[in-house]
Amino acid sequence: MKLTRLSSSIRGALLLSAGLGLSGCLSGSGDSSTPPQSAVCNSAENAVQVNEMCIQTVTVASPAKAAQTPGTPGVLVTNPKLTTHLGADADLNQARYTRYALADQTSLQPDAILVAVPGTLGGAHNYFRLAENLMADAQAAGMVLEVWAFERRSVLLQDTVGLNIAEEEKDPLIAVNFLFGDELDLPLSAELDRRAVFYDQADVPFMANWTPQVFSQDIDVVVELARDAARNGNVFLGGHSAGTGFVARYAATDFNLSGTGAPEPGYAKLRGLVLFEGQGGSLRATAPTPAELDAVEAAADGGLYAAVQSGAVSAYINAPGLGPRQLVSSEVLGMQMAFEETINGEQAVLQQTFGPDRNGKGNSVYQQVAGYNDRPFPVTAGAALATFQDDDNQATPQFYHLSMGALGALNADGLVEWLDNDQPMPASALTDNGPAPTSLLSPQLFWGVEAEPVNMARLTPSLFVGDTNYSDWYYPSTGLLIGNNATVGGASLGLDTSALSLPVALGGRGRSDIVNQTQAQQIDVPVIGFGGTNGLTPVPGIWRGFANAIAPCAALSCDGTARMLTGAADLSAFPTFGGAAGGFEVYMSEGYSHNDVLAADDDATNNVIDPLLAFIERNAE
């Protein structure tokens, strides 16, 4: 069954009451049920109003001019894919963020801003639901709060021009044609000028030079903009999963790269650090050897770039089922669910056939595009998405999991539906993983009764809306290994890189140009961590390394209490942290998988929103 063009009545309106509401710049709906429109939001560049939230994506120049990167002086752009997509004057030395603000507060100065870094393969809209819930609660408490989701410069490689047209036309078929029309042997849609550009590893070897310090400098651009915008410079920096590593490295970085004069530590620009489902970082147990430092220098001085250019090492993550062509699927399915006004409408557009069989297989995205796996039965768009990303799919890496319901029954159209979390759940979805472990050496760390806190209908806009999306298609994994991995990046130096970074006269090698994390042991701002007991940080003891690495808390909210009260030197799963008084708090949400701490509904199971808001209120000056 091929999806036909959406009817004009459906294309002209989007469901609001079921949580799929998109309004303002996107829908232009004048329906009385539409949330009040913000003139400020509607007039802003690259802005869209979704329910009560205004979303705006901003790209600004970064001082980090990475070697061999388009936009760096002396670099000529000759790759035909790059010139087709971005032009001969392409500049990838850019910092980018997506601003979330309540539509009726967009003209008000925020009392505080949370700058938030996504994790592995994550895009800005990983923070869509957290922002929506957190800002609403802040408003109820009399506070103006914004969330600015940082995006790695790798998202600039995402060719979304046809997806934006599909969104404007409210037609997921245009997205399919743009992305996969060649594989499906389809004529180019009238609305399009060309097909999507996808980059292979050999197209982007310059990503090897996108090191941790490059991203710290990119983040610093956004932090400084946020400090200018927020009252009294009240900026907090958060990260999810691998994003907590970006946070810790930023806080530990001295942004005075000259080697002389007073340090300019990242942590001093912040009111606090927020670690979602990630430990941040830790100190190395022993000093790096001269050979290890040599190896880091060799990797940074062209060795890693040469390895990527030769094909010996990948430029970006391209794990099975998680390459750029697969990650974009959530955007297509998100459009289908939104424009059909339900998560269980027609057959998933990725599973539908477009004309007769080809190559002995059905002419669908699932069967014709490399890297996809078809479902063993016909499914709706909701079931197509969830059978890949739900936490019960053990074939999908845990870092991609969401807990968002359960597989439903066959409907009258012969399609298997998905049960959203506001429907009765089968017992199989609520597995009891047993009691909490006592040690980090326990054979099983996850514990508690699994929850299903993510509502797919409410999550749907985050998959596609506006000038950003849910995934980082070209996650720059290799360059991030400089100084963080012995096999590829020379060595793992830990959070303190003084042995490499400090001037020679002070015992280092004077390579602050590679990395300058000399401030780790001076970090004195409050820290709060959030984990899910069915996620990657299922017990508080995982944060022990970061708590031990940093200085005592010096914020006004702290009273001299230590970061850790018990368990600092052991492997207990539940050590005692100093709490608010000591500037180190950890909160667990029972049954939550890895991404639930960001995407969950604000309900009784959610142990993130209330403690986070209290942390921000307590530490904002």
Side-chain angles (χ1 to χ4, degrees):
M1 177 178 64
K2 180 179 178 180
L3 181 67
T4 57
R5 286 274 181 162
L6 301 172
S7 70
S8 59
S9 60
I10 295 177
R11 289 171 58 135
L14 294 167
L15 189 65
L16 293 166
S17 61
L20 292 179
L22 311 175
S23 58
C25 302
L26 179 64
S27 72
S29 172
D31 186 89
S32 60
S33 63
T34 301
Q37 298 300 291
S38 164
V40 175
C41 182
N42 286 338
S43 62
E45 184 178 1
N46 295 329
V48 58
Q49 184 173 336
V50 181
N51 298 326
E52 285 79 23
M53 188 162 62
C54 184
I55 303 167
Q56 182 183 21
T57 298
V58 180
T59 303
V60 293
S62 170
K65 310 301 182 185
Q68 284 90 32
T69 296
T72 295
V75 175
L76 298 178
V77 181
T78 58
N79 181 288
K81 291 184 181 179
L82 283 166
T83 55
T84 296
H85 173 206
L86 298 171
D89 59 347
D91 186 356
L92 298 178
N93 293 313
Q94 306 280 339
R96 177 174 157 121
Y97 66 96
T98 293
R99 174 196 178 205
Y100 300 96
L102 292 181
D104 59 358
Q105 293 184 335
T106 50
S107 61
L108 303 178
Q109 183 180 24
D111 296 308
I113 295 173
L114 171 62
V115 177
V117 184
T120 304
L121 299 178
H125 275 340
N126 281 194
Y127 288 99
F128 180 100
R129 289 288 290 137
L130 178 92
E132 198 169 33
N133 291 327
L134 183 64
M135 295 188 307
D137 282 12
Q139 184 180 47
M143 187 179 194
V144 179
L145 178 64
E146 294 186 4
V147 176
W148 291 14
F150 172 81
E151 293 190 280
R152 287 168 287 269
R153 55 175 60 193
S154 45
V155 301
L156 299 171
L157 293 169
Q158 297 178 177
D159 184 7
T160 59
V161 62
L163 298 174
N164 293 338
I165 292 171
E167 181 179 339
E168 182 179 350
E169 295 293 325
K170 300 181 177 59
D171 189 347
L173 286 180
I174 296 175
V176 170
N177 192 290
F178 175 67
L179 298 167
F180 310 118
D182 288 342
E183 290 94 333
L184 298 175
D185 196 27
L186 300 176
L188 188 68
S189 290
E191 297 88 349
L192 301 173
D193 293 326
R194 60 173 176 83
R195 304 281 192 213
V197 170
F198 286 106
Y199 296 100
D200 298 322
Q201 302 284 350
D203 296 314
V204 288
F206 50 79
M207 294 179 74
N209 295 317
W210 295 359
T211 65
Q213 184 145 296
V214 167
F215 286 106
S216 288
Q217 290 178 283
D218 290 350
I219 293 170
D220 192 55
V221 173
V222 179
V223 167
E224 290 290 2
L225 289 172
R227 292 178 72 202
D228 288 342
R231 190 181 309 278
N232 298 326
N234 288 323
V235 175
F236 298 79
L237 183 62
H240 174 253
S241 189
T244 65
F246 287 77
V247 168
R249 291 189 294 266
Y250 176 88
T253 294
D254 175 5
F255 287 93
N256 177 358
L257 305 182
S258 68
T260 62
E264 299 174 9
Y267 72 83
K269 305 181 182 190
L270 307 169
R271 301 290 187 226
L273 307 179
V274 185
L275 309 178
F276 299 102
E277 269 283 304
Q279 63 180 341
S282 61
L283 299 178
R284 182 176 160 134
T286 60
T289 66
E292 287 178 311
L293 296 176
D294 288 344
V296 174
E297 289 190 75
D301 290 340
L304 186 55
Y305 175 79
V308 172
Q309 193 174 40
S310 70
V313 178
S314 298
Y316 60 85
I317 283 183
N318 195 6
L322 293 173
R325 287 174 171 81
Q326 292 78 49
L327 292 172
V328 72
S329 65
S330 62
E331 187 152 350
V332 180
L333 294 171
M335 288 186 197
Q336 183 179 354
M337 289 186 287
F339 304 147
E340 289 183 345
E341 305 181 0
T342 174
I343 69 170
N344 291 310
E346 296 195 45
Q347 185 178 20
V349 69
L350 300 179
Q351 192 181 46
Q352 293 170 24
T353 57
F354 295 81
D357 290 359
R358 298 174 60 246
N359 307 316
K361 297 180 290 187
N363 197 34
S364 69
V365 173
Y366 280 161
Q367 296 196 42
Q368 293 292 335
V369 181
Y372 277 96
N373 294 313
D374 201 354
R375 308 303 185 261
F377 37 73
V379 291
T380 63
L385 177 72
T387 48
F388 172 71
Q389 200 165 354
D390 186 72
D391 67 312
D392 291 327
N393 179 10
Q394 297 304 310
T396 302
Q398 194 176 4
F399 67 77
Y400 216 60
H401 280 173
L402 287 163
S403 305
M404 49 184 173
L407 197 64
L410 203 67
N411 66 19
D413 294 324
L415 304 176
V416 175
E417 297 187 341
W418 188 256
L419 297 175
D420 216 342
N421 76 336
D422 53 4
Q423 299 174 272
M425 288 290 106
S428 60
L430 305 174
T431 303
D432 188 343
N433 291 312
T438 59
S439 168
L440 293 183
L441 298 178
S442 298
Q444 175 180 301
L445 291 181
F446 56 91
W447 59 277
V449 178
E450 293 183 16
E452 299 295 334
V454 179
N455 183 277
M456 187 185 295
R458 287 187 278 272
L459 182 73
T460 291
S462 73
L463 302 177
F464 74 96
V465 74
D467 203 30
T468 186
N469 51 30
Y470 196 81
S471 299
D472 183 346
W473 307 353
Y474 301 96
Y475 184 77
S477 55
T478 300
L480 289 169
L481 297 179
I482 292 286
N484 285 310
N485 179 275
T487 303
V488 176
S492 182
L493 301 179
L495 199 54
D496 188 336
T497 66
S498 295
L500 179 69
S501 311
L502 288 176
V504 174
L506 297 179
R509 290 199 173 190
R511 294 307 305 269
S512 59
D513 60 314
I514 298 175
V515 60
N516 205 32
Q517 293 164 204
T518 62
Q519 303 297 302
Q521 297 180 68
Q522 282 71 51
I523 296 172
D524 62 2
V525 296
V527 178
I528 190 168
F530 297 97
T533 70
N534 194 35
L536 293 180
T537 56
V539 292
I542 289 174
W543 279 273
R544 176 185 286 103
F546 190 62
N548 284 334
I550 61 179
C553 178
L556 295 175
S557 62
C558 298
D559 63 5
T561 300
R563 299 280 193 177
M564 296 197 70
L565 302 180
T566 67
D570 60 30
L571 294 175
S572 57
F574 286 82
T576 305
F577 293 97
F584 210 102
E585 307 168 68
V586 175
Y587 295 88
M588 307 304 297
S589 292
E590 183 176 348
Y592 276 37
S593 60
H594 187 52
N595 291 284
D596 296 349
V597 293
L598 303 185
D601 294 339
D602 187 9
D603 60 20
T605 69
N606 190 323
N607 200 23
V608 177
I609 300 299
D610 289 349
L612 177 54
L613 180 57
F615 176 81
I616 292 172
E617 288 180 311
R618 184 170 59 249
N619 291 295
E621 296 183 6

